[in-house]
Amino acid sequence: MNVIHVSAECYPIAKVGGLGDVVGSLPKYQQESEVGAKVIMPFYDNKFSSTHKFKSVYESELVLGQDIHAYKILKLKKDVLDIEVLFVDIPKLLFKDFVYSEDDTARFTAFQIAAMDWLLTLKEKPSIIHCHDHHTGLIPFMAQECFKYESLNQIPVILTIHNAQYQGWFSHDKVHYLPAFDISNNGLLDWDGMINPLAAGIKCAWRVTTVSPSYMKELQQAANGLEGLLDHEKEKCVGILNGIDSEVWNPETDEFIIKNYSAKNIQSGKTANKKWLCKEFGFSASKPLFAFIGRLVYEKGAELLPEVLEEILPKKECSILILGSGNPEVESALENLKKKHKGVYNVFIGYDEKLSHLIYSGTDFLLMPSRVEPCGLNQLYSLRYGTIPVVRSIGGLKDTVIDIEDGGFGFSHSEASENDILQTITRAIEFYKDVPKFKKTRKYIMSIDHSWDVSAQQYIDLYNSLKSG
Ligand code: ADP
Ligand code: GLC
């Protein structure tokens, strides 16, 4: 069996969030189970493309509405990755120094057409096409409906929803971007009067997965307008919890952190990493340290943070560090608090992979007050680094963090509200004072296995249940 993952992100090539982590690691684990797994993604103008050499394996032109775009399929000259990655190079549309922008309709539609056109040319076709999020949601439709892809329509197509908030909507005026199909089936593209790539993907994919079981259930209730569709299609939907790349995220070998450690020497390891972090950001290492890492957007509950900080910091019972970027108003509110709460609060606005590792290894607690969390990888990384998660119980957070009061190892609250977050931080501060219990818990959480071993197999079982031959 061989699967091709189609995605806008793949770590370490291009990562905006967890989608990149998942597509960068799941295929690796699938290969270990003897499944040939490749990734096809856009060729961006970024650090990875400027520091590696590529060769062209296929060149052609694609039609996007009235326009014709020359494109190439590239491969790395040297195999520096654990998996085979193919790059769709459409210079005018995709070769940009960003992954996403305000209007990506032409960019990602062309990407999907190029990927499908290229698949048509292959002697050995993939046995599964695995699409990720709305940027690839037109592929299930195109495979089923577009005349030119008829020879691909027996290949099972899976769509994984990492985030249903974003659906890639565009107007029916642009329906001509798609290769010819029977226009009477136009309804498959439509949701509420717009072309909705995520909805089209849900309707046409052979199976739809979400990145945690709880998120699947939640989407049937609320999915930014698609709840009715997901409820209707529930027979072909399943939630499969994300795993993590336990090689990249391994405190024993992590090259980014100050002192490597395992569960055996966790106490000295955490102490050394915390000491560095506190010195760097101006905190006292004796206080419990809480950190937030993530996109500063509404979904992550980010706009609640300034109010929470204003309330908790004057007590000087803990320190809080934030790493993130996103909503400019939240960014400046967080920046503005820096001066006032010097010594117990600091923020780094921006994206910094290395700093994120330093924080997972050095902080005591990780805050995730998310409103929506399809899976969440931060809490899984934090467990692996012996950092206790403090989360809102939703989506994947609900599936992976059990509250200490329920016999578990973390802290959770039911609402994404200032009050709930404050109360939970206060509980965690109290817990920190019980040193033996605190130390025992952080040692225990390092042993929880969230590697892909289990979930990668669930995907393989799903593929096997659909195999075309
Ligand atoms: P999402 O994909 O919704 O952003 P996830 O929890 O699945 O959330 O994944 C977020 C990923 O992005 C994690 O690997 C996290 O460490 C990383 N990340 C988020 N913001 C930053 C940042 N500002 N700097 C470095 N890494 C970040
Ligand atoms: C999305 C979700 C996040 C999930 C990630 C990887 O970006 O917001 O919860 O962990 O995808 O599946």
Side-chain angles (χ1 to χ4, degrees):
M1 178 161 47
N2 58 79
V3 52
I4 186 147
H5 291 270
V6 194
S7 172
E9 300 178 37
C10 176
Y11 180 83
I13 301 153
K15 164 175 166 181
V16 176
L19 170 63
D21 286 348
V22 168
V23 178
S25 55
L26 170 62
K28 232 163 90 173
Y29 282 77
Q30 290 181 326
Q31 284 197 156
E32 285 168 17
S33 305
E34 320 262 299
V35 169
K38 292 180 189 166
V39 174
I40 185 162
M41 66 180 296
F43 190 57
Y44 300 112
D45 181 5
N46 61 12
K47 193 170 164 210
F48 189 91
S49 60
S50 64
T51 52
H52 291 83
K53 291 210 163 73
F54 300 83
K55 60 181 180 206
S56 166
V57 292
Y58 181 73
E59 295 183 21
S60 189
E61 286 178 337
L62 67 90
V63 181
L64 184 79
Q66 318 290 339
D67 298 327
I68 292 181
H69 293 275
Y71 74 96
K72 288 183 186 157
I73 303 291
L74 307 177
K75 258 190 194 174
L76 275 163
K77 270 196 173 154
K78 267 200 210 142
D79 286 342
V80 291
L81 301 168
D82 299 317
I83 46 173
E84 184 176 343
V85 179
L86 295 135
F87 299 85
V88 175
D89 182 19
I90 312 176
K92 245 174 84 181
L93 294 175
L94 295 176
F95 195 66
K96 306 282 179 196
D97 61 2
F98 50 80
V99 174
Y100 307 118
S101 66
E102 283 292 299
D103 182 2
D104 285 329
T105 301
R107 300 178 68 227
F108 288 120
T109 308
F111 164 60
Q112 294 173 82
I113 293 172
M116 291 293 280
D117 283 1
W118 172 71
L119 286 181
L120 274 182
T121 70
L122 296 183
K123 264 202 215 108
E124 197 194 333
K125 306 272 192 274
S127 29
I128 300 282
I129 302 174
H130 192 150
C131 301
H132 296 268
D133 271 352
H134 76 82
H135 330 99
T136 60
L138 294 171
I139 286 182
F141 171 85
M142 294 198 293
Q144 180 181 303
E145 299 295 326
C146 292
F147 305 127
K148 71 191 286 199
Y149 302 131
E150 204 185 335
S151 63
L152 301 176
N153 73 12
Q154 291 310 307
I155 304 176
V157 186
I158 314 271
L159 173 69
T160 293
I161 304 176
H162 296 259
N163 195 331
Q165 295 301 108
Y166 309 101
Q167 300 170 8
W169 312 264
F170 59 94
S171 141
H172 279 278
D173 298 350
K174 290 184 179 157
V175 70
H176 63 288
Y177 276 10
L178 294 168
F181 61 96
D182 178 352
I183 200 72
S184 67
N185 291 339
N186 203 17
L188 287 169
L189 290 171
D190 181 84
W191 197 256
D192 275 347
M194 296 286 283
I195 293 183
N196 183 319
L198 190 68
I202 295 167
K203 292 180 202 177
C204 299
W206 292 34
R207 288 288 185 277
V208 176
T209 72
T210 57
V211 289
S212 71
S214 285
Y215 186 54
M216 184 90 252
K217 283 187 214 134
E218 288 162 13
L219 283 185
Q220 283 153 15
Q221 306 298 318
N224 203 7
L226 297 186
E227 47 284 342
L229 176 62
L230 280 151
D231 189 45
H232 181 255
E233 299 282 4
K234 61 174 177 265
E235 293 308 314
K236 69 174 188 193
C237 296
V238 58
I240 300 179
L241 191 68
N242 279 339
I244 61 171
D245 188 329
S246 47
E247 282 170 23
V248 173
W249 297 94
N250 182 358
E252 252 184 292
T253 52
D254 191 327
E255 287 174 3
F256 289 140
I257 67 178
I258 301 301
K259 183 176 158 75
N260 290 114
Y261 59 98
S262 65
K264 273 192 197 141
N265 64 340
I266 177 174
Q267 312 308 347
S268 62
K270 292 288 289 182
T271 303
N273 288 298
K274 181 176 178 184
K275 204 170 150 198
W276 180 88
L277 204 57
C278 288
K279 189 158 179 256
E280 186 73 11
F281 289 97
F283 305 140
S284 146
S286 62
K287 290 191 171 84
L289 176 60
F290 292 76
F292 172 98
I293 300 173
R295 296 180 290 119
L296 298 174
V297 296
Y298 183 79
E299 269 179 68
K300 300 283 177 192
E303 87 303 339
L304 295 165
L305 291 172
E307 296 166 31
V308 169
L309 295 172
E310 282 283 43
E311 199 62 41
I312 198 103
L313 293 172
K315 298 180 185 156
K316 303 216 182 294
E317 287 177 339
C318 65
S319 312
I320 301 188
L321 175 61
I322 291 177
L323 164 63
S325 61
N327 180 332
E329 277 169 32
V330 178
E331 287 183 358
S332 64
L334 291 171
E335 278 283 8
N336 290 341
L337 291 173
K338 240 158 104 168
K339 240 196 199 151
K340 195 167 161 194
H341 300 290
K342 205 167 168 233
V344 284
Y345 167 67
N346 215 327
V347 58
F348 182 97
I349 299 293
Y351 187 92
D352 190 327
E353 192 75 25
K354 179 175 179 188
L355 181 56
S356 76
H357 286 244
L358 286 160
I359 296 177
Y360 289 118
S361 69
T363 189
D364 298 305
F365 298 97
L366 187 87
L367 295 172
M368 290 183 80
S370 307
R371 288 204 158 75
V372 181
E373 199 60 84
C375 178
L377 297 173
N378 299 17
Q379 82 280 15
L380 305 182
Y381 299 148
S382 96
L383 293 171
R384 180 120 170 100
Y385 283 69
T387 291
I388 298 175
V390 178
V391 308
R392 164 152 190 241
S393 189
I394 189 91
L397 297 172
K398 197 172 177 177
D399 293 343
T400 54
V401 178
I402 304 169
D403 196 282
I404 226 118
E405 281 177 8
D406 301 323
F409 47 80
F411 293 86
S412 62
H413 50 94
S414 53
E415 299 300 321
S417 69
E418 192 193 325
N419 242 345
D420 268 31
I421 301 168
L422 282 168
Q423 279 179 17
T424 316
I425 295 181
T426 309
R427 276 205 293 138
I429 294 174
E430 280 310 305
F431 183 75
Y432 180 84
K433 293 179 189 158
D434 187 340
V435 178
K437 226 171 165 183
F438 171 74
K439 286 189 169 173
K440 196 175 154 201
T441 304
R442 68 179 183 182
K443 186 169 180 159
Y444 165 70
I445 58 180
M446 282 190 78
S447 69
I448 302 174
D449 183 8
H450 275 294
S451 76
W452 271 110
D453 291 329
V454 175
S455 307
Q457 188 56 44
Q458 283 176 271
Y459 279 113
I460 294 172
D461 292 345
L462 183 70
Y463 300 161
N464 275 328
S465 72
L466 301 172
K467 218 162 59 178
S468 52

